[in-house]
Amino acid sequence: VRLAHYQHNQYFYDLCDEKGLIVWAEIPYINKHITSAKESTRSQLKELIIQNYNHPSIILWGLSNELSLEDDYEDMCENHKYLNKLAHSLDKTRITAIGSIASTPENDPFIRITDAVGYNLYYGWYGGNIEDNGKWLDEFHRLNPNKPIGVSEYGCESLDWHSNNPIAWDFTEEFHAHFHEELIKQLYTRDYLWIRICWNMFDYAADGRNEGGKPGQNRKGLVTIDRKYKKDAFYAY
């Protein structure tokens, strides 16, 4: 389970411990590096590790998600090096990772800071073609054979709409299911991937979104936000 990029209730970690689920836990260091907020990222990582160190379900500490390389790049890298050392000083048993945006070059020094790297890949939904996901991963692995690479997000959106001729951005369950079926084929036939994270299990509230003419939610879930209806893609898993 990759948790969303925020602190979570202890009850959820307790359930993961009990059920035997493994967890990627991370801090809210998202999209944009803000120099004046470095101390906040450091205190939040320290709190996350100290508060949750004894949960056996947690396998790694996530340092950031989808940061743009355009925002004070050198300072951003320096901060990640500090966070990486901080995590290992507080916990010598777990690895560190980032969730990187797909546009981050596969040879960029930024992705070499943490023990492992995940990429959020949405080819076939946000541009490109579905088959580009596997091609991109193969090229990354060719260039970085010793760097653990995984997919930290993949998916697309759907509403309760249907079509006999599904295409990207029609928000139908048919395209949603097709997308996941194709990604399952690509991701689970590449043994070098250390993790594969479907985004997302459930539709969730997202105030700034308005996809499909229905505002206020991200509809990438395999299950609706009320947890009552399993979309067709759910059954692919």
Coordinates of all heavy atoms in Angstrom, one line a residue, residues 121-130 133 154-159 167-172 175-176 179 183 209 211-212 218-220:
L121 N 3.9 6.8 -13.8 CA 3.8 6.7 -15.2 C 2.3 6.7 -15.6 O 1.6 5.8 -15.2 CB 4.5 5.5 -15.7 CG 6.0 5.4 -15.5 CD1 6.6 4.1 -16.1 CD2 6.7 6.6 -16.1
Y122 N 2.0 7.6 -16.5 CA 0.6 7.6 -17.0 C 0.5 7.7 -18.5 O -0.4 8.3 -19.1 CB -0.1 8.9 -16.4 CG -0.4 8.7 -14.9 CD1 0.5 9.3 -14.0 CD2 -1.5 8.0 -14.5 CE1 0.2 9.2 -12.6 CE2 -1.8 7.9 -13.1 CZ -0.9 8.5 -12.2 OH -1.1 8.4 -10.8
Y123 N 1.5 7.1 -19.2 CA 1.4 7.1 -20.7 C 0.2 6.4 -21.1 O -0.2 5.3 -20.6 CB 2.7 6.4 -21.3 CG 4.0 7.2 -21.0 CD1 5.0 6.7 -20.2 CD2 4.1 8.5 -21.6 CE1 6.2 7.4 -20.0 CE2 5.3 9.2 -21.3 CZ 6.3 8.6 -20.6 OH 7.5 9.3 -20.3
G124 N -0.5 7.0 -22.1 CA -1.8 6.5 -22.6 C -3.0 7.2 -21.9 O -4.1 7.0 -22.4
W125 N -2.7 8.0 -20.9 CA -3.7 8.8 -20.3 C -3.3 10.3 -20.4 O -3.9 11.1 -21.0 CB -4.0 8.4 -18.9 CG -5.1 9.1 -18.2 CD1 -5.0 10.0 -17.2 CD2 -6.5 9.0 -18.6 NE1 -6.3 10.5 -16.9 CE2 -7.2 9.9 -17.7 CE3 -7.2 8.3 -19.5 CZ2 -8.6 10.1 -17.8 CZ3 -8.6 8.5 -19.6 CH2 -9.3 9.4 -18.7
Y126 N -2.2 10.6 -19.7 CA -1.6 12.0 -19.9 C -0.6 12.0 -21.0 O 0.6 12.0 -20.7 CB -1.0 12.4 -18.6 CG -1.9 12.5 -17.4 CD1 -1.7 11.9 -16.2 CD2 -3.1 13.3 -17.5 CE1 -2.5 12.0 -15.1 CE2 -4.0 13.4 -16.5 CZ -3.7 12.8 -15.3 OH -4.6 12.9 -14.2
G127 N -1.0 11.9 -22.2 CA -0.1 11.9 -23.4 C 0.5 10.5 -23.6 O 0.5 9.6 -22.8
G128 N 1.0 10.4 -24.9 CA 1.6 9.1 -25.3 C 0.6 8.0 -25.5 O -0.6 8.2 -25.5
N129 N 1.2 6.8 -25.6 CA 0.4 5.6 -25.8 C 0.6 4.6 -24.6 O 1.6 4.6 -23.9 CB 0.8 4.9 -27.1 CG 0.6 5.8 -28.3 OD1 -0.5 6.4 -28.5 ND2 1.7 6.0 -29.1
I130 N -0.3 3.7 -24.4 CA -0.2 2.8 -23.3 C 1.1 2.0 -23.4 O 1.7 1.8 -22.3 CB -1.5 1.8 -23.3 CG1 -2.7 2.6 -23.0 CG2 -1.3 0.7 -22.2 CD1 -4.0 1.8 -23.1
N133 N 4.6 2.9 -21.6 CA 5.0 2.7 -20.2 C 6.1 1.6 -20.1 O 7.2 1.9 -19.5 CB 3.8 2.2 -19.4 CG 2.8 3.3 -19.2 OD1 2.9 4.2 -18.4 ND2 1.7 3.3 -20.0
Y154 N 0.3 4.4 -11.3 CA -0.2 4.3 -12.7 C -1.7 4.1 -12.6 O -2.3 3.7 -11.7 CB 0.4 3.1 -13.4 CG 0.0 1.7 -12.9 CD1 -1.1 1.0 -13.5 CD2 0.6 1.1 -11.9 CE1 -1.5 -0.2 -13.0 CE2 0.3 -0.2 -11.4 CZ -0.8 -0.8 -12.0 OH -1.2 -2.0 -11.5
G155 N -2.4 4.6 -13.7 CA -3.9 4.5 -13.7 C -4.5 5.5 -14.7 O -3.8 6.2 -15.4
C156 N -5.8 5.5 -14.7 CA -6.6 6.5 -15.5 C -7.9 6.6 -14.8 O -8.2 6.0 -13.8 CB -6.7 6.1 -16.9 SG -7.7 4.7 -17.2
E157 N -8.8 7.5 -15.3 CA -10.0 7.8 -14.6 C -11.2 7.3 -15.4 O -11.2 7.1 -16.6 CB -10.2 9.4 -14.5 CG -9.0 10.0 -13.7 CD -9.4 11.3 -13.1 OE1 -10.5 11.6 -12.7 OE2 -8.5 12.2 -13.1
S158 N -12.3 7.0 -14.6 CA -13.5 6.5 -15.1 C -14.7 6.9 -14.3 O -14.6 7.0 -13.0 CB -13.5 5.0 -15.4 OG -13.7 4.3 -14.1
L159 N -15.8 7.2 -14.9 CA -17.1 7.4 -14.3 C -18.0 6.2 -14.5 O -17.5 5.2 -15.1 CB -17.7 8.7 -14.8 CG -16.8 10.0 -14.6 CD1 -17.4 11.1 -15.4 CD2 -16.8 10.3 -13.1
I167 N -12.1 5.0 -25.8 CA -10.9 5.7 -26.1 C -10.5 6.5 -24.8 O -11.3 6.7 -23.9 CB -11.1 6.7 -27.3 CG1 -12.2 7.7 -27.0 CG2 -11.4 5.9 -28.6 CD1 -12.3 8.8 -28.0
A168 N -9.2 6.9 -24.8 CA -8.7 7.7 -23.7 C -9.5 8.9 -23.5 O -10.0 9.6 -24.4 CB -7.2 8.1 -24.0
W169 N -9.8 9.3 -22.2 CA -10.5 10.5 -21.8 C -12.0 10.4 -22.1 O -12.6 11.5 -22.2 CB -9.8 11.8 -22.4 CG -8.6 12.1 -21.6 CD1 -7.3 11.6 -21.9 CD2 -8.4 12.9 -20.5 NE1 -6.4 12.1 -21.0 CE2 -7.0 12.9 -20.1 CE3 -9.3 13.6 -19.7 CZ2 -6.5 13.6 -19.0 CZ3 -8.8 14.3 -18.6 CH2 -7.4 14.3 -18.3
D170 N -12.5 9.2 -22.4 CA -14.0 9.1 -22.5 C -14.6 8.8 -21.1 O -15.8 8.8 -21.0 CB -14.4 8.1 -23.6 CG -14.0 6.7 -23.2 OD1 -13.5 6.4 -22.1 OD2 -14.3 5.8 -24.1
F171 N -13.7 8.5 -20.1 CA -14.2 8.2 -18.8 C -15.1 7.0 -18.6 O -15.9 6.9 -17.7 CB -14.8 9.5 -18.1 CG -13.9 10.6 -17.9 CD1 -13.7 11.6 -18.9 CD2 -13.1 10.7 -16.8 CE1 -12.8 12.6 -18.8 CE2 -12.2 11.7 -16.6 CZ -12.0 12.7 -17.6
T172 N -15.0 6.1 -19.6 CA -15.8 4.9 -19.5 C -15.1 3.8 -18.7 O -13.8 3.8 -18.6 CB -16.1 4.3 -20.9 OG1 -14.8 3.9 -21.5 CG2 -16.8 5.4 -21.8
F175 N -12.6 1.7 -21.1 CA -11.3 2.2 -21.3 C -10.5 2.0 -20.0 O -9.3 1.6 -20.1 CB -11.2 3.6 -21.8 CG -9.8 4.0 -22.1 CD1 -9.2 3.7 -23.3 CD2 -9.0 4.7 -21.1 CE1 -7.8 4.0 -23.5 CE2 -7.7 5.1 -21.3 CZ -7.1 4.7 -22.5
H176 N -11.1 2.3 -18.9 CA -10.4 2.1 -17.6 C -9.9 0.7 -17.4 O -8.8 0.5 -17.0 CB -11.4 2.5 -16.5 CG -10.9 2.6 -15.2 ND1 -11.3 1.8 -14.1 CD2 -9.9 3.4 -14.6 CE1 -10.7 2.1 -13.0 NE2 -9.9 3.1 -13.2
F179 N -7.1 -0.1 -19.9 CA -5.8 0.5 -19.5 C -5.1 -0.4 -18.5 O -4.0 -0.7 -18.6 CB -6.1 1.9 -19.0 CG -4.9 2.7 -18.6 CD1 -4.4 3.6 -19.5 CD2 -4.2 2.5 -17.4 CE1 -3.2 4.3 -19.3 CE2 -3.0 3.2 -17.1 CZ -2.6 4.2 -18.1
L183 N -1.6 -2.5 -18.6 CA -0.5 -2.2 -17.7 C -0.1 -3.4 -16.8 O 1.1 -3.6 -16.5 CB -0.9 -1.0 -16.8 CG -0.4 0.4 -17.2 CD1 1.1 0.5 -17.1 CD2 -0.8 0.7 -18.6
R209 N -10.1 19.4 -9.0 CA -10.3 18.6 -10.3 C -11.7 18.8 -10.8 O -12.7 19.0 -10.0 CB -10.0 17.2 -10.0 CG -8.6 16.9 -9.5 CD -8.2 15.5 -9.4 NE -7.9 14.9 -10.7 CZ -6.7 14.7 -11.2 NH1 -5.7 15.1 -10.4 NH2 -6.5 14.1 -12.3
E211 N -12.6 16.6 -13.9 CA -12.6 15.8 -15.0 C -14.0 15.1 -15.3 O -14.7 14.8 -14.4 CB -11.6 14.6 -14.8 CG -10.2 15.0 -15.1 CD -9.5 15.8 -14.0 OE1 -10.2 16.0 -12.9 OE2 -8.4 16.4 -14.2
G212 N -14.3 15.0 -16.6 CA -15.6 14.4 -16.9 C -16.8 15.2 -16.6 O -17.9 14.7 -16.6
N218 N -11.0 12.8 -7.7 CA -10.1 12.1 -8.6 C -10.7 10.7 -8.8 O -11.0 10.0 -7.9 CB -8.7 12.0 -8.0 CG -7.7 11.4 -9.0 OD1 -8.0 10.3 -9.6 ND2 -6.6 12.0 -9.1
R219 N -11.0 10.4 -10.1 CA -11.8 9.2 -10.4 C -10.9 8.0 -10.8 O -11.4 7.1 -11.6 CB -12.8 9.5 -11.5 CG -13.6 10.8 -11.3 CD -14.7 10.6 -10.2 NE -15.4 11.8 -10.0 CZ -16.7 11.9 -9.7 NH1 -17.4 10.8 -9.5 NH2 -17.3 13.1 -9.6
K220 N -9.7 8.0 -10.4 CA -8.8 6.9 -10.8 C -9.0 5.6 -10.0 O -8.3 4.6 -10.3 CB -7.3 7.3 -10.7 CG -6.9 8.4 -11.7 CD -5.4 8.6 -11.6 CE -4.9 9.6 -12.7 NZ -5.3 11.0 -12.4

